[in-house]
Every structure is written in structure tokens, then in C-alpha cells.
């Protein structure tokens, strides 16, 4: 695809993409007699919708009871532990990702769901052996992780003097000092959405001024000497230089040494390379709607992860609560009017590759997609549902979240978000995402620390309950959400 570009956009903007979507000024309303009549009709309609949604209070309570207090308590956590302990990490192109897909296909089929796989070609980057050491002014091992899509170094590594900068602006000011050096970016963490630009574009920016490699401070607000990997993008026409992330501690150390005027020399060795695209699949499970099987409420999380940790938080949790919704609805003997479809995306981390191919294949049915939902910011204690859609749709969703009073999450926020649902949202389909108490999310994100140890069963129960009530009720209302 214009793949480089669309990957860049999704990496860079995935957390901020839809902030403009609610900025339209309110439509002008005239006061002609017909419009007054229509407004009156609309008012009745709004009242009807509120009453219709309120009619789901009992079923919402049953879903919540089952997920939080009943027989399904801790099930999504247990499934996540079984899955991530058996498979481990599962990066795009790896055997373990293929095993993960088989595992979930099998597990969801055994759960009695209707499951199929949809083929996707995905990137296949391999890290190989890698290391970095500071040689001058003293010898020190640097914990590091090569960045996804980076080229490798020659076998003997790259040994070069270091230039430490704190920003792209500083790099421009000091461009004449960069030739032949390893540029270390010691940018402070502002927010993931903003600071990730250094990981995504640092290598090409440094290459433009003659650098031979880059080491980038990990994109995290908290560190116990933990490097955090992630995708990066080479700019077309710019020399491709090896790039890796280092720890906050080591980036700050080298910054202090440089401030004292000390000469720093580092050796970076990476075997990283990109192999031909691999075969993979989006994994799709569903409960068909009884009245409008062609109309869909889509729930999702991604099955791939980085090649470190267990990918429990990013995004095993999102995948498991999206499966759990179907299990809860089935266990209660419910079947909504519309189809509830869970899609476990492949190759999200490479820029939403599986999701983009799914959109290309299914956008012909755009008008039948009622709501697309994605959980990819952790499954900690939920605080709100984030929603993008028209004012009319928002009114309906405001009623729906009232049904979540038993778990104290009745807040509806603006800006549903997520790399994997973004093509649908851009095409005007209403979208929803899960806002959780995510202050710790980027502590563990894309690092060895993303394991089951950061997950909590009670928190996952609440996420599952919220996800299930919203999806079921929207799928069962008389009408699709207004566009
Ligand atoms: C009534 O609702 C429809 C669709 O929800 C909208 O297009 C129309 O402008 C509304 N009319 C008035 C007078 O508010
Ligand atoms: C669910 O997990 C919590 C916390 O670990 C535990 O106290 C509770 O007994 C578990 N419930 C079930 C049914 O396993
Ligand atoms: C919701 O809040 C009430 C009142 O603070 C509390 O008693 C209840 O345990 C909470 N429920 C959940 C599921 O957190
Ligand atoms: Zn993710």
C-alpha cells in the first residue's frame, strides 16, 4: 500500500486522530411550520429511544451480574493467562503469531461460536542478536531494543562518537556536528501521542544530517532500566540507518556526560532484517443477528504483540474481553437483532495492517456497520466509554451508558479511538473505545514488562461487562445508530 505513509499516520496519530470530528458548528435550524413539526417528531423519537434503551436495564444487570459476580467471574483473565502463558509474545511474521491464531480459532470454536479466518499479508521483520555498549568515557552495557523495520549494522557493529540532543529542533541547530555520529535522542516524555514522533521519525531525521545510527530514549513516563520497542518509519529517499531504543536512565546519563563536555563513544550491533511479507489472518467470531444478520456491531482487539514480554496488556486483554462479550451473550441465551462480530486483528503493531485489509475487503458493506469498537489501551479499571459519532448517535449512547450504573461507569466521553477502527471512523461509522485507568499503561507498553503480572481479574471483569452491555444493547435496538 502507500503503506509507509498510512503506517506513519496511524503510529503518529492513533491517539489524537479524531479530535476534530466534533468541531462542526451546530446546524442552523429554521422555524418554518414543517420544521417545528419535524422537531416535535424528533423530540418524541428521542424520548422513545430513551425509553427503549431504559427497557434494557434488566438484561444489562444480568450481563453485569454474570461477568462481575457470577459464573463468568475472572473468565477473561483466566483465558488471557492460559493463552499468553502458552504462546508468549507474538510479533508479526512469527511462528508464535500463527500459533496464537490457531489457538484462538480453536478456543472460540470450542466455546460454540461461529469462527473463521480471513487471510492477510503482513510484514516480517526479525530482530536477531543485538547489543549496545558505551565504550567512552567508561565501559557500560546499554539495555536496548531495536525498533521494528530497522536495518541491521555490519557484523562488527557501528562504533562511533555520540551526539546527544533533546529535540528535533536541537538536532537542526547542531546539524553540522552530526555527520558520522550516533545521534542519541533524550527527548522528555510529554504524552505518547506527541513523543512517539521521536521513535517513528528519529532515524530519518538524524540520517538527513549525516548520522550513522540513532539511539532513542524509550517512549515511557516511568522506567526501571526498561527499553520499549515499537514500529519506526524510514522516510522515502533518506539513507536507512540502524535505530534502537535505550532506557530513560541511559539517555539521561549520556546527556549529563555530554553537558560536562565529555566525549562519548558507543558500539551498536544489530542483526535486524526484513524478510518477505508473511501469510497471516484476522480471526473472526460471531453471533448472527436474528433480524438483520447483515448488520454488524464489531468488537475488537489485536492478537499480535511485540516480540518482548507476553503481550498481555497490549493487546491480549482487549482481544479477550472482545471474545468474552460473545461468551456472556451466549451463556445468557441471548441473541440480538444484529450480528455481534469479534475481530482479532493481525499485525496492528506494524500500523494496523490486518485492520486496513479488513476495511478494504468489507467497506462495500459500510452502511451495514452499526458500531465499531476497539480496546487497545489496556483492560484496567474502566472509567468511561469513548465515542465518536453524530450528535444524534451520541444521544442514544448517552442512554446506553446509563445502563452501566451497577458498575459505576456511566460516563460517555468524546473521541472513540484506535489504530484498527480508524478507517471506519474516517468513513463515518460510529466508533467506540474503552477508557481505563491507564496511567500505568505506558510503563509496560512494548517492553519485557508487558506480562500477566500487570493484569487484574476484577478489573477485566468490569471491562468485559461494560463492553458486553454496550455491544449487546446497540446490536439489539430497533434502529441502527444514526450517522
Ligand atoms: C430530525 O432528525 C433528523 C434525523 O435525526 C434530522 O435530519 C433533522 O434535521 C431533524 N429535524 C429537526 C427539525 O430537528
Ligand atoms: C476472582 O479473582 C479474585 C482475585 O484474585 C478472587 O478473589 C476470586 O476468588 C476469583 N473468583 C473466582 C470465581 O475464581
Ligand atoms: C459502585 O459504587 C458504589 C458506591 O460507591 C459501591 O458500593 C459499589 O461497590 C461500586 N460497584 C462496583 C462494581 O465497583
Ligand atoms: Zn496495541
Amino acid at each position: 500500500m502507500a503503506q509507509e505513509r498510512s503506517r506513519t499516520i496511524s503510529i503518529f496519530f492513533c491517539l489524537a486522530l479524531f479530535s476534530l470530528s466534533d468541531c462542526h458548528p451546530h446546524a442552523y435550524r429554521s422555524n418554518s411550520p414543517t420544521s417545528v413539526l419535524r422537531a416535535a417528531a424528533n423530540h418524541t423519537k428521542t424520548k422513545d429511544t430513551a425509553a427503549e434503551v431504559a427497557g434494557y436495564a434488566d438484561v444489562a444487570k444480568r450481563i453485569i451480574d454474570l461477568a462481575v459476580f457470577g459464573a463468568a467471574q475472572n473468565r477473561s483473565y483466566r483465558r488471557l493467562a492460559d493463552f499468553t502463558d502458552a504462546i508468549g509474545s507474538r510479533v508479526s511474521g512469527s511462528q508464535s503469531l500463527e500459533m496464537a491464531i490457531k489457538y484462538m480459532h480453536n478456543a472460540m470454536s470450542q466455546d460454540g461460536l461461529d469462527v473463521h479466518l480471513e487471510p492477510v499479508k503482513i510484514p516480517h521483520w526479525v530482530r536477531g542478536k543485538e547489543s549496545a555498549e558505551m565504550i567512552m568515557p567508561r565501559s557500560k552495557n546499554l539495555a536496548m531494543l531495536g525498533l521494528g523495520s530497522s536495518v541491521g549494522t555490519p557484523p562488527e557493529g557501528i562504533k562511533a562518537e555520540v551526539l546527544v540532543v533533546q529535540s528535533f529542533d536541537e538536532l537542526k541547530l547542531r546539524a553540522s556536528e552530526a555527520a558520522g555520529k550516533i545521534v542519541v535522542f533524550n527527548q522528555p516524555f510529554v504524552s505518547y501521542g506527541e513523543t512517539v514522533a521521536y521513535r517513528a521519525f528519529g532515524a530519518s531525521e538524524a540520517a538527513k544530517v549525516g548520522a550513522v545510527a540513532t539511539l532513542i530514549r524509550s517512549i515511557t513516563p516511568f522506567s526501571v532500566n526498561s527499553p520499549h520497542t515499537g514500529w519506526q518509519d524510514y522516510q522515502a529517499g533518506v539513507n536507512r540507518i540502524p535505530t534502537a531504543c535505550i532506557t530513560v536512565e541511559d539517555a539521561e546519563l549520556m546527556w549529563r556526560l555530554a553537558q560536562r563536555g565529555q566525549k562519548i563513544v558507543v558500539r551498536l550491533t544489530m542483526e535486524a532484517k526484513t524478510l518477505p511479507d508473511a501469510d497471516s489472518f484476522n480471526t473472526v467470531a460471531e453471533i448472527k443477528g436474528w433480524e438483520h444478520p447483515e448488520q454488524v456491531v464489531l468488537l475488537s482487539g489485536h492478537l499480535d504483540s511485540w516480540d518482548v514480554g507476553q503481550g498481555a496488556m497490549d493487546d491480549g486483554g482487549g482481544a479477550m474481553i472482545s471474545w468474552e462479550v460473545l461468551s456472556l451473550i451466549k451463556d445468557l441465551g441471548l441473541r440480538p437483532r444484529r450480528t455481534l462480530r469479534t475481530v482479532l486483528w493481525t499485525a496492528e503493531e506494524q500500523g494496523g495492517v490486518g485492520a486496513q485489509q479488513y476495511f478494504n475487503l468489507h467497506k462495500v458493506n459500510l452502511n451495514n456497520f452499526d458500531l465499531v469498537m476497539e480496546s487497545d489501551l489496556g483492560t484496567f479499571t474502566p472509567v468511561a466509554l469513548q465515542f465518536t459519532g453524530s450528535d444524534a448517535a451520541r444521544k442514544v449512547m448517552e442512554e446506553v451508558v446509563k445502563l452501566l450504573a451497577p458498575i459505576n461507569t456511566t460516563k460517555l466521553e468524546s473521541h472513540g479511538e484506535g489504530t484498527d477502527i480508524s478507517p471506519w471512523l474516517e468513513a463515518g461509522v460510529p466508533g467506540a473505545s474503552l477508557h481505563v485507568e491507564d496511567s500505568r499503561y505506558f510503563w509496560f507498553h512494548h517492553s519485557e514488562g508487558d506480562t500477566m503480572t500487570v493484569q487484574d481479574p476484577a478489573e477485566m471483569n468490569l471491562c468485559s461487562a461494560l463492553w458486553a452491555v454496550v455491544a449487546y444493547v446497540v446490536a439489539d435496538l430497533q434502529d441502527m445508530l444514526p450517522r
Side-chain angles (χ1 to χ4, degrees):
M1 50 187 186
Q3 212 166 36
E4 304 270 88
R5 198 79 323 244
S6 71
R7 284 177 192 173
T8 301
I9 288 169
S10 53
I11 287 170
F12 191 43
F13 292 110
C14 61
L15 298 173
L17 193 57
F18 301 104
S19 50
L20 296 177
S21 59
D22 285 338
C23 295
H24 303 295
H26 287 283
Y28 171 74
R29 293 184 183 208
S30 76
N31 277 319
S32 75
T34 42
S35 78
V36 169
L37 273 180
R38 242 188 277 123
N42 278 5
H43 183 65
T44 310
K45 172 107 189 141
T46 305
K47 260 179 40 197
D48 287 354
T49 305
E52 188 194 358
V53 174
Y56 285 91
D58 281 349
V59 75
K61 187 78 175 32
R62 283 168 61 209
I63 294 171
I64 291 167
D65 281 344
L66 177 60
V68 179
F69 307 107
Q73 188 183 63
N74 303 353
R75 181 167 58 189
S76 55
Y77 173 92
R78 250 189 341 262
R79 285 172 170 176
L80 181 61
D82 290 348
F83 169 71
T84 56
D85 290 345
I87 306 286
S89 71
R90 41 202 186 275
V91 73
S92 181
S94 66
Q95 278 250 299
S96 49
L97 178 56
E98 293 323 295
M99 279 166 57
I101 292 166
K102 284 205 183 91
Y103 180 108
M104 291 301 290
H105 182 282
N106 189 34
M108 293 194 296
S109 303
Q110 283 186 2
D111 190 29
L113 299 167
D114 190 353
V115 191
H116 71 273
L117 300 177
E118 300 191 7
V120 179
K121 282 279 184 197
I122 61 172
H124 190 185
W125 174 82
V126 290
R127 164 181 314 286
K129 275 212 202 113
E130 56 182 18
S131 64
E133 57 180 323
M134 186 167 78
I135 294 167
M136 280 181 70
R138 66 179 168 89
S139 171
K140 182 187 186 299
N141 179 55
L142 305 174
M144 56 80 78
L145 283 171
L147 295 179
S149 83
S150 178
V151 296
T153 65
E156 68 281 12
I158 292 175
K159 181 178 151 193
E161 194 179 334
V162 160
L163 170 67
V164 191
V165 297
Q166 307 242 61
S167 67
F168 288 133
D169 286 343
E170 186 182 353
L171 179 66
K172 283 206 184 86
L173 285 172
R174 301 179 65 184
S176 64
E177 298 170 56
K181 295 207 178 122
I182 295 175
V183 167
V184 170
F185 285 99
N186 178 41
Q187 78 290 336
F189 181 87
V190 180
S191 68
Y192 184 75
E194 187 173 335
T195 313
V196 74
Y198 286 88
R199 188 191 80 206
F201 311 125
S204 285
E205 290 307 311
K208 284 179 196 167
V209 292
V212 292
T214 47
L215 294 175
I216 293 158
R217 171 172 159 161
S218 290
I219 314 303
T220 183
F222 179 78
S223 178
V224 186
N225 207 49
S226 52
H228 299 240
T229 189
W231 193 253
Q232 72 91 35
D233 256 304
Y234 288 126
Q235 201 176 313
V238 177
N239 188 26
R240 297 179 166 217
I241 60 173
T243 182
C245 56
I246 55 172
T247 68
V248 170
E249 289 88 337
D250 286 336
E252 290 190 334
L253 166 67
M254 287 191 274
W255 168 250
R256 290 193 302 275
L257 293 171
Q259 289 304 99
R260 293 183 198 119
Q262 282 177 288
K263 179 174 170 177
I264 306 168
V265 175
V266 161
R267 186 200 311 276
L268 174 68
T269 310
M270 292 170 63
E271 288 180 354
K273 61 182 176 212
T274 299
L275 303 174
D277 280 358
D279 290 315
S280 189
F281 303 91
N282 290 319
T283 308
V284 183
E286 60 186 24
I287 296 175
K288 281 243 162 48
W290 65 265
E291 189 177 27
H292 304 293
E294 76 289 359
Q295 296 177 359
V296 177
V297 168
L298 186 148
L299 294 137
S300 69
H302 64 88
L303 216 50
D304 66 299
S305 72
W306 278 103
D307 55 345
V308 288
Q310 287 185 304
M313 184 193 76
D314 183 10
D315 181 28
M320 290 303 158
I321 65 163
S322 296
W323 169 20
E324 180 69 17
V325 168
L326 302 188
S327 301
L328 291 167
I329 299 310
K330 185 177 56 66
D331 290 354
L332 289 168
L334 298 169
R335 190 174 171 200
R337 281 176 207 282
R338 294 180 197 80
T339 294
L340 279 177
R341 179 178 299 163
T342 292
V343 184
L344 308 180
W345 313 110
T346 191
E348 185 277 347
E349 297 291 0
Q350 288 61 36
V353 177
Q356 185 64 49
Q357 292 188 39
Y358 182 89
F359 177 75
N360 294 346
L361 193 65
H362 295 279
K363 67 183 176 204
V364 57
N365 294 319
L366 194 81
N367 291 337
N368 283 325
F369 281 76
D370 188 7
L371 175 67
V372 292
M373 300 167 65
E374 173 175 353
S375 165
D376 189 17
L377 281 171
T379 45
F380 304 139
T381 304
V383 293
L385 186 75
Q386 299 167 310
F387 179 73
T388 294
S390 64
D391 287 350
R394 175 167 301 279
K395 286 215 173 69
V396 179
M397 295 307 288
E398 271 162 5
E399 300 302 321
V400 171
V401 294
K402 287 180 189 166
L403 300 170
L404 296 163
I407 51 167
N408 305 329
T409 52
T410 55
K411 203 149 108 201
L412 187 71
E413 295 176 342
S414 46
H415 316 318
E417 64 189 30
T419 303
D420 287 329
I421 57 171
S422 60
W424 298 96
L425 271 65
E426 283 166 59
V429 175
S433 50
L434 187 58
H435 179 184
V436 300
E437 277 176 6
D438 56 4
S439 58
R440 291 173 300 146
Y441 185 76
F442 290 107
W443 297 8
F444 307 111
H445 183 251
H446 297 184
S447 80
E448 290 289 357
D450 181 354
T451 65
M452 278 313 289
T453 300
V454 305
Q455 295 292 141
D456 178 85
E459 294 174 354
M460 289 190 73
N461 294 337
L462 296 172
C463 291
S464 299
L466 183 157
W467 220 220
V469 168
V470 170
Y472 174 77
V473 173
V474 171
D476 198 55
L477 290 173
Q478 291 279 344
D479 296 324
M480 283 183 43
L481 292 174
R483 290 284 156 102

